[in-house]
Amino acid sequence: MNAMLKCAMIALSLTFSVGMIGAQDKGNLSTLSKVIAGNENNEVSYLIPPRPEDISPLLIGEKIPVAMLPDASGRDIDLNKLISEKPTILIFYRGGWCPYCSRQLSGLQRSAPQLEKLGYQLIAVSTDMPGGLAESVKKERLNYTLLSDADLSLAKKFGIAFKAPKGYWEMLPKTTGGKNKDLLLPVPSVFILDKTGTIQFEYINPDFKQRMSSELLTTAATVIKKEIK
């Protein structure tokens, strides 16, 4: 593949991505969204960023964390095992209650046949509990996988969770089945992964109203697919 074309695609994603904001120095412990390990219970604690602009997400070349998440039927899914089956486009969205997210889900559905033809699978993760995922599947007529990260444990590990504005505090416990105790939201994000779970491409925008277009996603996926198996 033309190396200049690949570089242009990566640069294009990062032009609109916070992957370059506060994340270039992963060793900076003052970054609020840093994940810190090593307490006495060997658990991971997460310092909650107050704004979406303050997150410190995983970067291209890093591997995604281990995760078990329920799908729309409530069945637990081993995310890493699923990703090992084929290259994956992994989307984080806020919830089916968000009109911008619903629009994004519909756009992905329209692009799904072409992306699947390229050899990808689509997986979308949100704060909705399984019942909310089932409603989105029915409403948007989706045939790709939706997973529930109601407590935002996965979003925290990806470094994309932040404190939700006060206007969401009453709603979030209801849509997450009471699991979102910290009242967090994920910054809407798109990751293209190879079968080892390594990030090959990402689009992360702190402005939740701005989503990666289906056309741009398809173009990026086409370019990246030539480099991965």
Side-chain angles (χ1 to χ4, degrees), residues 24-178:
Q24 292 187 2
D25 181 6
K26 298 292 281 187
N28 183 357
L29 296 182
S30 66
T31 302
L32 286 177
S33 59
K34 185 62 61 181
V35 176
I36 303 175
N39 59 31
E40 60 181 3
N41 297 319
N42 200 29
E43 297 175 345
V44 173
S45 58
Y46 186 77
L47 298 181
I48 301 170
R51 306 181 307 158
E53 294 85 358
D54 295 327
I55 66 167
S56 183
L58 294 179
L59 300 177
I60 292 171
E62 294 189 290
K63 286 193 175 184
I64 70 167
V66 174
M68 291 286 293
L69 300 174
D71 62 13
S73 67
R75 180 170 60 103
D76 284 337
I77 301 296
D78 184 332
L79 178 62
N80 306 82
K81 182 179 180 181
L82 187 59
I83 287 172
S84 71
E85 297 174 359
K86 60 172 58 178
T88 300
I89 296 173
L90 180 66
I91 297 96
F92 283 86
Y93 68 102
R94 306 192 314 162
W97 45 265
C98 169
Y100 299 95
C101 297
S102 295
R103 208 171 301 145
Q104 181 184 27
L105 294 178
S106 294
L108 288 168
Q109 180 60 45
R110 291 191 296 271
S111 299
Q114 187 174 358
L115 292 170
E116 290 169 358
K117 187 176 181 180
L118 287 169
Y120 290 98
Q121 64 179 334
L122 286 173
I123 301 174
V125 178
S126 80
T127 66
D128 286 338
M129 54 187 170
L133 299 181
E135 290 178 12
S136 291
V137 169
K138 182 178 180 180
K139 178 183 176 182
E140 308 300 336
R141 299 181 181 179
L142 308 178
N143 60 16
Y144 53 87
T145 301
L146 298 188
L147 298 177
S148 172
D149 184 32
D151 62 0
L152 284 95
S153 58
L154 184 60
K156 290 177 184 178
K157 292 176 182 178
F158 267 81
I160 60 173
F162 69 99
K163 189 72 173 184
K166 287 186 178 180
Y168 296 89
W169 290 6
E170 183 177 350
M171 178 194 68
L172 288 175
K174 299 175 183 177
T175 60
T176 63

